[in-house]
């Protein structure tokens, strides 16, 4: 495991704890010699995770679409900034570069990025670990929703274990190191559907 992609809010959130956790995650990645791959912006938690890593001497690769370059204000002090031409290209590039994925608190954009990687894992398109850093219980409701989805049999229990959640970044990264991807998703075809 060399590079970790972090999905997170372009906003700062209501509590200073979110920015602090983003900075801390960046620092932890740098200390563990892991390259941070993220959306390349200087704003919100995105800026904080990058600053945390850069200030701790880490290597940071930002991937930003050209149309967002100005709106999200591309970070100008990264090890590398890759400018792409669309959101799809951004996600594909981040997915290609990363060996694992972490979602910090964020809004719809963060969830969209996380869910795409999650569903690709279910389909066996990659075998990389993914996890949620549950800062201040921000993702408690999502973790509950995953339980509900599995209970109601819209997701197999084995995929439930794909979405590792932890409150501590070092523990989450440790789980990543021991992660073994479950078998690829199969479909049950009932007789009445034939
Ligand atoms: P947010 O969590 O909504 O603050 O967004 C976090 C990041 O996700 C920002 O860099 C957004 O540009 C990006 N984002 C927003 N919408 C999407 C989308 N539909 N697909 C991929 N990334 C998105």
């Amino acid at each position: 495991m060399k590079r970790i992609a972090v999905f997170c809010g372009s906003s700062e959130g209501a509590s200073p704890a979110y920015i602090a956790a983003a900075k801390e995650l960046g620092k932890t990645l740098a200390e563990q010699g892991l390259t941070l791959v993220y959306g390349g912006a200087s704003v919100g938690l995105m800026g904080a995770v990058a600053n945390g890593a850069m200030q701790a001497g880490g290597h940071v690769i930002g991937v930003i679409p050209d149309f967002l370059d100005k709106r999200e204000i591309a970070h100008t002090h990264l090890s590398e900034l890759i400018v792409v031409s669309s959101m799809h290209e951004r996600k594909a590039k981040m997915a290609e570069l990363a060996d694992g994925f972490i979602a910090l608190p964020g809004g719809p954009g963060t969830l969209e990025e996380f869910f795409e990687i999650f569903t690709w894992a279910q389909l066996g398109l990659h075998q990389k670990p993914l996890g949620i850093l549950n800062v201040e219980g921000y993702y408690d409701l999502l973790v509950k929703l995953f339980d509900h989805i599995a209970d109601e049999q819209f997701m197999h229990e084995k995929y439930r274990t794909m979405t590792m959640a932890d409150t501590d970044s070092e523990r989450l990264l440790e789980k990543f190191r021991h992660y073994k991807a479950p078998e690829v998703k199969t479909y049950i075809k009932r007789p009445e559907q034939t």
Side-chain angles (χ1 to χ4, degrees), residues 55-67:
Q55 283 160 15
H59 192 86
V60 180
I61 305 175
V63 185
I64 197 160
D66 46 11
F67 82 97

Side-chain angles (χ1 to χ4, degrees), residues 8-11 46 68 72 87 90-91 106-110 112-113:
C8 60
S10 51
S11 308
M46 297 175 80
L68 275 183
E72 291 189 351
M87 296 299 256
R90 178 202 239 176
K91 289 188 291 181
T110 302
E112 199 275 345
E113 290 168 321

Side-chain angles (χ1 to χ4, degrees), residues 50-106:
N51 290 336
M54 290 301 292
Q55 283 160 15
H59 192 86
V60 180
I61 305 175
V63 185
I64 197 160
D66 46 11
F67 82 97
L68 275 183
D69 192 336
K70 297 216 163 45
R71 229 192 297 164
E72 291 189 351
I73 317 166
H75 202 302
T76 49
H77 296 95
L78 302 176
S79 317
E80 213 180 310
L81 183 70
I82 302 174
V83 181
V84 292
S85 52
S86 69
M87 296 299 256
H88 284 126
E89 237 186 277
R90 178 202 239 176
K91 289 188 291 181
K93 191 74 194 165
M94 288 173 74
E96 172 201 319
L97 289 172
D99 303 307
F101 307 87
I102 294 178
L104 274 169

